[in-house]
Structures are given as C-alpha cells and as structure tokens.
Amino acid sequence: MLVYLAVGSNIGDRQHYIRSAIQGLSARGVRTIRCASIYLTEPRDFLDQPWFLNTVLEASTSLDPDQLLRACLEVEEENLRKRDLSKGPRTLDIDIIFFGREIIRKHGLEIPHPRFSKRRFVLEPLAEIAPEFVDPVSGKTIRQLLEEVSDPALVERLR
Ligand code: PH2
Ligand code: MG
Ligand code: MG
C-alpha cells in the first residue's frame, strides 16, 4: 500500500530524529519512496514551544493500518518520545496522513488524519511530492486544499 506519513520534531537534533524516523520505519517494513524537503514551521495548537522541523514521506508497506500505527509508535519510542503534554514538544512525531485511499474512523486510529487539511505544516510538504493526490474525504487534491487553507502559522522550506 502507498502511504503518506507526516514527520515532525522540535526537541534536540531535529534533523537527526527525522533521519532516524526513516531508518526505524524501514527496519519495520515501511520503505520510504520519496521524502519532501525539510520545513521550518511555527508551532500550532500549543504555541509556547520551539519551532518544528516537519516533512512528509511517501512510503510503501505491506503492513495493515494497525500494524503501521504500531510501527510509528515504536519508532517514536525508540527516539525517546515522552508523552507528557498533548500537542507539546517532542523529539519525534510520526502521523499517518493517508493509507492509500482508505477511510478508517475508529477509536485510536483515524485515517486520513483528522486535522491534516487544516495544517499548512502538513500541506506544504505534501503538495511538494503529491500535489495531485486526492483526499478521499473531501474529494479535493492536495494542491486545492493548500490553496484553500487559512492556517496563518509560518512554514519555510529549508532544502
Ligand atoms: N505537531 C503538533 C502540534 N503542533 N506544530 C508544528 N509546526 N508542527 C507539528 O508537527 C506540530 C505542531 C501535534 O502533533
Ligand atoms: Mg502530530
Ligand atoms: Mg502523533
């Protein structure tokens, strides 16, 4: 299955944690096909925290959605993720944005990610690698969603 994962870090060596995410996922059968640029992004939701580095991975896996979620959580834990403050600072966050074009809404796992279309820090990198991908919920392309988003938080492409 083709999947899109949003990766973020705002503690410590943020570049290192993003590279480490790709490696840890690969060790669990989630093969990164393409990685968007790294973006420096202003915090959302919980504002009093360091700026993030964010990117989006296009990956291929034969894991099912629950196994993929488990793999993401394991890689976060392997990278010293602490869960003390919801939406607060973290070494590594890996969120499943799309699992093919499947729609999954159950306790503990919602795909497409319920807030991705409101977040510029997801849409900018996603639009870089998959502008024509159609969100199965809204029926809109990523390009359209990015044009329509009103998120004022700053997103700067680094490289
Ligand atoms: N993640 C959050 C909350 N706020 N802000 C930015 N810029 N980037 C993130 O990855 C992020 C956030 C919760 O997961
Ligand atoms: Mg997140
Ligand atoms: Mg998360």
Side-chain angles (χ1 to χ4, degrees), residues 87-110:
K87 309 224 166 81
R90 62 275 310 274
T91 52
L92 185 60
D93 183 34
I94 308 174
D95 292 335
I96 305 170
I97 306 301
F98 296 121
F99 188 88
R101 302 205 47 203
E102 289 187 21
I103 298 176
I104 300 164
R105 292 280 181 259
K106 60 183 191 183
H107 187 70
L109 184 60
E110 292 188 67

Side-chain angles (χ1 to χ4, degrees), residues 124-145:
E124 290 271 9
L126 189 56
E128 184 190 332
I129 59 172
E132 304 305 331
F133 188 88
V134 176
D135 166 29
V137 172
S138 64
K140 295 177 180 178
T141 64
I142 302 306
R143 188 197 303 285
Q144 271 177 293
L145 291 172

